[in-house]
Structures are given as structure tokens and as C-alpha cells.
Amino acid sequence: MLSIILAIFGIVILGIIIALVVAWRFSHMVAGKAAKALPPKGHFTEVRGGRLHWVEMGEGQPVVMIHGLAGNLHNFTYAMTKRLAAAGYRAIAIDRPGCGWSERDSDEQARIPEQARMIAEMLEKEGIETPLLVGHSLGGAVSLALAVNHPERVGALALVSALIKAPDKPAAAFAGIDIANPGMRRFVAETMAVPMSIRNGAKTLAFVFGPDAVPDDFRVRGGGLLSLRPDAFYGAATDLQAVALDLPAITERIGEISHPVGLFYGMGDRILSAPEQIEALRTALPEADIETMDERGHMPLVIEPERLEAFIVRMAQRRA
């Protein structure tokens, strides 16, 4: 009887191992196709702790755009870079450290102050002086960290659907990447993450964009395909852990910011509580320029580019 149990146990273990190997091979095949579909097309700047990938378009006053959690610079090139370039600005979109085609040397560079420090170093190296920072979602928190820790590198802030204050828990869309242990994060990234992302991708995007509809071309034009890589999953999951660790200290210092600050929010946002985030900024900076949209969601940079452009231009004029 014992020998039968052991045999069954061995078969089960072998089946699990085979399934994991198949998942690993499938994940890296998909990752290769995603990378081929959306290769790097910009500049790379070496900084302490990694290298940053960024693209630019146009000439004039610099506007530097920093994307959110699980995103990449294509979130801004979808609609905003071309618009801002046409309006007479030097539109620059950055892959945050460890996202898109940017690299970071370790998980330490996922910490919000470290991401801000790396971007500040890149701005200095490339001679991009006191730009308007446009920070979306987690990119908003990184922009705030830049303003409080590296004020000499910042001209003004235009925050979009921004993470100002750490929520009590992550949005339901990010439950699958809320993994505290680094070893488990890597294991999931290399095996189950990509198949599950393919299976649940449409549902997740619907939640992120909701109540707005997801554009049919977002996976390619908006960079969604780049999330179908093990490193992208690991990077996003690690970024998520940094929010609770780092954001409270940054939120406490927002009142130190002397630059012009604006905040643009959709009141139907399902990722962050718009009233909570707006109140956190208004409490610290009563003079902040706050603009809201009724019944709009978390992705105005894709859904409402014309209105967002007007907000960004207004903040750029205040910076000037």
C-alpha cells in the first residue's frame, strides 16, 4: 500500500514539474514575441543602479512624463507625446527603472526615493533642466519624491490620477501581483504570471480603464504587450511593495514643495480613490491647481488626451 501511495505521489510531483517547465518555456516564448513587437526605440542613459530608456519628440520647454504601476512609456506615447510636441514642447516619456526597457540592478532600486534619484540623475546627465513632470498613478508618487528630494531638478508638477497617499490595500486589479516574498515573486513571474495575464488580461484592463472602455489598440500602441514578460511582472510586483514602505514619508513632506503643482483626476477612478487622493494633496498644498472629470476613470492620458493636454499646457505655463 505504501509503495502505491509513493508511486502516486511521485507521479503527481512529476506532473507538477512538467507543468512548470511547460509554463516557463511558454512564458519566455511569449516574452520574446512581445519584445519583438515593441522593441526599444529611444535613448538609454546609464545611471547609478541601472540604465533608463526614454523617448522624446518636439522642441521647446521640456515636459517629462513618468508612467504608473505595471505600465511603460507607451502609456504616454499612445496620445500625449505627439500632442505636446505639436503644441511646442519637448515631450519626453521615460520607462521607470525596472519597467519597459529600463533596467535596475536590484530590488533596492524599486524603492520610490531610489526611482526618483535615478530619474534625477538621468535628467542631469542629459541636460534636461527643471522640466514640468507629468506623473501618472505611481509615477505621481515618484514625481513627488523628485520634488521633495531633488527640487533643483524640477520646474513644476502636473499629476495625473496620481498616488498621493498610500491606500489601505491595493486595488483588486493588482491583487495578483501583491507578493511580499522576493523568491515567490520570481517563481510566479517565471511560471504562472504570463499564462494568467493572458487569461485575465482583458478583465484586468477593463478594471484599470473602467468605467471607460479599453481602446482596441492599447495592447500594442499603449504598450500592454510588454507586460507579458516575466521581468515585467516581477518589476511591477516589487514596485507595489515599495508603496507601503516609502509613500507615507513622502506624503508627510508634500507641504515642502514650492513648485507649482496641479492634479488631474477622473472621479470614477477604480484604481485609486479620487476624493482621498485629492484631499491628501489639498491638505498639504491648499493652492494646488486641481481639475476633475465626472464619471471618468484612471487612464485620461489615453481616454481624454485633449483635455489632459490643456491641463498640462496650463501647468507648463505656470512653470515658465
Side-chain angles (χ1 to χ4, degrees):
M1 184 67 178
L2 179 59
S3 61
I4 294 175
I5 293 174
L6 290 174
I8 293 173
F9 180 75
I11 292 171
V12 170
I13 294 299
L14 180 60
I16 292 173
I17 292 172
I18 292 172
L20 291 174
V21 170
V22 170
W24 179 86
R25 293 189 64 180
F26 175 78
S27 296
H28 284 269
M29 178 194 71
V30 171
K33 291 183 176 181
K36 187 175 181 180
L38 292 171
K41 294 184 177 179
H43 311 280
F44 283 97
T45 301
E46 298 285 343
V47 298
R48 180 165 54 87
R51 67 174 187 164
L52 299 185
H53 175 244
W54 54 286
V55 299
E56 63 178 328
M57 181 179 293
E59 297 180 354
Q61 179 181 330
V63 177
V64 172
M65 292 165 274
I66 306 173
H67 65 82
L69 182 65
N72 54 71
L73 61 77
H74 291 276
N75 297 171
F76 280 108
T77 60
Y78 184 93
M80 298 310 304
T81 49
K82 184 177 291 187
R83 282 179 168 274
L84 291 170
Y89 295 92
R90 183 186 179 190
I92 298 166
I94 300 175
D95 280 329
R96 285 190 297 102
C99 304
W101 290 106
S102 289
E103 301 169 0
R104 57 192 183 208
D105 293 346
S106 71
D107 289 355
E108 182 61 27
Q109 281 76 51
R111 303 293 294 269
I112 295 174
E114 268 294 285
Q115 295 198 44
R117 192 268 308 160
M118 292 172 72
I119 293 173
E121 186 177 331
M122 170 254 170
L123 295 176
E124 182 178 13
K125 278 194 168 186
E126 298 297 340
I128 302 169
E129 297 184 357
T130 59
L132 170 68
L133 296 182
V134 180
H136 175 243
S137 196
L138 177 58
V142 174
S143 298
L144 289 170
L146 263 159
V148 298
N149 292 333
H150 310 276
E152 74 284 357
R153 303 257 67 89
V154 178
L157 300 180
L159 307 173
V160 183
S161 308
L163 180 61
I164 312 293
K165 176 184 177 182
D168 293 334
K169 62 179 181 179
F174 299 130
I177 65 172
D178 189 10
I179 305 172
N181 182 273
M184 182 57 68
R185 283 201 298 272
R186 178 55 67 184
F187 173 77
V188 174
E190 295 290 338
T191 55
M192 298 176 282
V194 172
M196 292 302 294
S197 294
I198 293 172
R199 178 183 177 184
N200 300 326
K203 182 178 179 181
T204 300
L205 280 178
F207 190 96
V208 170
F209 274 81
D212 303 304
V214 182
D216 292 338
D217 60 354
F218 181 76
R219 287 186 178 274
V220 176
R221 183 176 163 190
L225 284 179
L226 288 179
S227 67
L228 298 178
R229 301 176 299 159
D231 285 346
F233 177 92
Y234 185 87
T238 307
D239 285 342
L240 183 62
Q241 297 304 309
V243 171
L245 293 172
D246 297 324
L247 191 54
I250 296 168
T251 304
E252 288 182 2
R253 297 182 58 197
I254 292 174
E256 301 174 17
I257 299 174
S258 59
H259 307 292
V261 177
L263 178 62
F264 188 93
Y265 240 108
M267 299 306 289
D269 197 312
R270 296 176 181 176
I271 298 299
L272 295 168
S273 167
E276 179 181 66
Q277 301 299 322
I278 290 170
E279 183 59 27
L281 184 67
R282 183 179 280 131
T283 298
L285 296 172
E287 301 301 315
D289 184 338
I290 297 175
E291 180 174 343
T292 62
M293 302 181 298
D294 293 335
E295 304 302 324
R296 286 299 199 183
H298 192 65
M299 297 295 288
L301 60 170
V302 173
I303 298 300
E304 286 281 358
E306 183 175 355
R307 186 167 173 183
L308 182 58
E309 177 193 351
F311 168 76
I312 293 171
V313 168
R314 184 167 78 243
M315 293 308 303
Q317 291 170 345
R318 290 187 61 185
R319 177 262 187 195

